[in-house]
Amino acid sequence: MAIQSSELILNPDGSVYHLNLLPEHIANDIIFVGDQNRVEKITQFFDSIEFSTQKREFKTQTGLFKGKRITVMSTGIGPDNIDIVINELDALVNIDLETRIPKEELTSLNIIRIGTSGSLQADIPVDSFVMSKFGLGLDNMLRSYRIEDVTNTAIEEAFSAHTGWDFRKGKPYVVPCSEKLEMVIESDQMHKGITATAGGFYGPQGRVLRLEIQDSELNNKMDNFNFDGNRITNLEMETAAIYGLSALLGHNALSLNAIIANRASGTFSADPYKAVDELIAYTLDKLAKN
């Protein structure tokens, strides 16, 4: 059955509504960044760029790096934007946009997020790299979908009990990374653990300006959480949503972060751009070899 035009919205040129992309514009290997200005920090290393476009905060460039076709895309901030980006990327490869009918043979994209984050652990210093073995969603976006088949209930329950989670805020969810991409990017340089994804930057991440927050001890509780050796390494706003939607739709996803701040020690990187550039170079090199 064809998907109605109110559900899959297309632009007059046939491109998907928010991303402004046609199927031929994207590669199977896609790098996500949050900041639109970071797209060209990655594609400046490409041998050539075949396509470039931008609509709102969603900037996309596709080109060749050492013979490997790669797309780099900015998602903006937060789980709500991830809902837009991954659903529209999936539509590009798995729905016939002319007939609006899902394809019988589905395509799996490889999605790697390169971001910046603050560490919650004193022994994960600034300028280090974190690979997210799990995404822990503190937002409610993913629970609009039927997610039971892709989540880790044991970690969810242990985290909720450990923090005394207030379920009026919704139930946390946990989704693992792609084992396939973990093997591609594997390195002794990477710290591994659980990346917590918040639905906002201030109160949801424990920052207090003028508003009192619901649980002022939540960050301390998160610092001390450990499940079978997996600690919460860092806190940001996209990873769990990327992992959840990718798993539901059959795509591979992995999140990498350059640590530019350590909230446990109160330190900030003297040169955060250098750490990000090193993570970009490392990731591109690994992708080009696979």
Side-chain angles (χ1 to χ4, degrees):
M1 182 178 294
I3 299 169
Q4 293 183 332
S5 57
S6 60
E7 310 305 293
L8 175 59
I9 304 171
L10 302 178
N11 296 310
D13 65 353
S15 62
V16 289
Y17 182 64
H18 296 91
L19 302 184
N20 212 31
L21 296 172
L22 293 166
E24 59 266 27
H25 292 155
I26 64 168
N28 271 29
D29 294 287
I30 300 175
I31 294 174
F32 281 176
V33 295
D35 184 355
Q36 57 195 336
N37 294 321
R38 196 173 291 154
V39 171
E40 290 181 352
K41 285 182 68 68
I42 297 178
T43 60
Q44 67 178 324
F45 299 108
F46 282 18
D47 306 316
S48 62
I49 296 173
E50 68 181 62
F51 175 79
S52 181
T53 193
Q54 181 170 356
K55 184 177 180 182
R56 303 185 188 185
E57 62 266 55
F58 307 116
K59 181 171 183 175
T60 303
Q61 291 191 330
T62 297
L64 294 177
F65 176 79
K66 296 183 178 179
K68 181 84 166 184
R69 191 168 185 255
I70 299 173
T71 292
V72 184
M73 174 182 295
S74 62
T75 64
I77 299 174
D80 50 344
N81 275 15
I82 296 303
D83 183 55
I84 290 170
V85 171
I86 292 187
N87 273 293
E88 292 194 4
L89 282 175
D90 181 76
L92 288 172
V93 296
N94 289 323
I95 298 173
D96 185 316
L97 299 186
E98 292 187 4
T99 65
R100 298 177 173 272
I101 295 175
K103 298 178 181 178
E104 291 186 8
E105 186 173 335
L106 301 178
T107 296
S108 292
L109 298 170
N110 298 315
I111 298 168
I112 297 180
R113 178 180 186 267
I114 298 179
T116 56
S117 184
S119 169
L120 297 181
Q121 304 294 340
D123 61 343
I124 301 178
V126 295
D127 302 326
S128 63
F129 301 154
V130 164
M131 176 186 289
S132 308
K133 285 279 291 182
F134 296 92
L136 164 62
L138 307 180
D139 63 290
N140 286 315
M141 185 279 292
L142 199 69
R143 290 203 175 274
S144 295
Y145 302 96
R146 301 182 66 174
I147 64 174
E148 293 77 14
D149 291 343
V150 302
T151 55
N152 188 309
T153 304
I155 301 180
E156 292 170 1
E157 292 178 352
F159 174 80
S160 298
H162 177 81
T163 57
W165 188 261
D166 186 340
F167 289 103
R168 290 177 298 178
K169 297 189 293 185
K171 183 180 179 182
Y173 62 90
V174 176
V175 185
C177 71
S178 161
E179 292 183 1
K180 172 188 171 182
L181 289 182
E182 181 183 3
M183 292 178 64
V184 169
I185 304 296
E186 183 65 72
S187 169
D188 293 337
Q189 293 177 258
M190 298 281 180
H191 296 273
K192 294 183 181 181
I194 301 169
T195 292
T197 295
F201 183 77
Y202 289 97
Q205 294 191 34
R207 292 183 173 91
V208 178
L209 301 184
R210 291 202 314 117
L211 294 176
E212 184 178 357
I213 58 176
Q214 181 269 330
D215 185 353
S216 61
E217 294 300 313
L218 180 59
N219 279 12
N220 290 331
K221 297 172 188 175
M222 290 170 61
D223 293 348
N224 298 323
F225 179 69
N226 191 312
F227 186 89
D228 288 345
N230 291 296
R231 301 176 299 167
I232 298 177
T233 52
N234 60 316
L235 179 60
E236 45 82 276
M237 296 178 64
E238 289 83 29
T239 293
I242 293 170
Y243 282 11
L245 286 172
S246 295
L248 288 170
L249 290 166
H251 305 299
N252 301 298
L254 185 68
S255 180
L256 308 173
N257 276 279
I259 298 300
I260 61 171
N262 187 296
R263 295 184 71 177
S265 62
T267 55
F268 192 84
S269 174
D271 189 355
Y273 300 108
K274 181 174 182 289
V276 174
D277 287 345
E278 289 177 353
L279 182 56
I280 289 169
Y282 177 83
T283 304
L284 284 174
D285 187 60
K286 286 289 190 178
L287 277 178
K289 294 176 179 177
N290 287 274

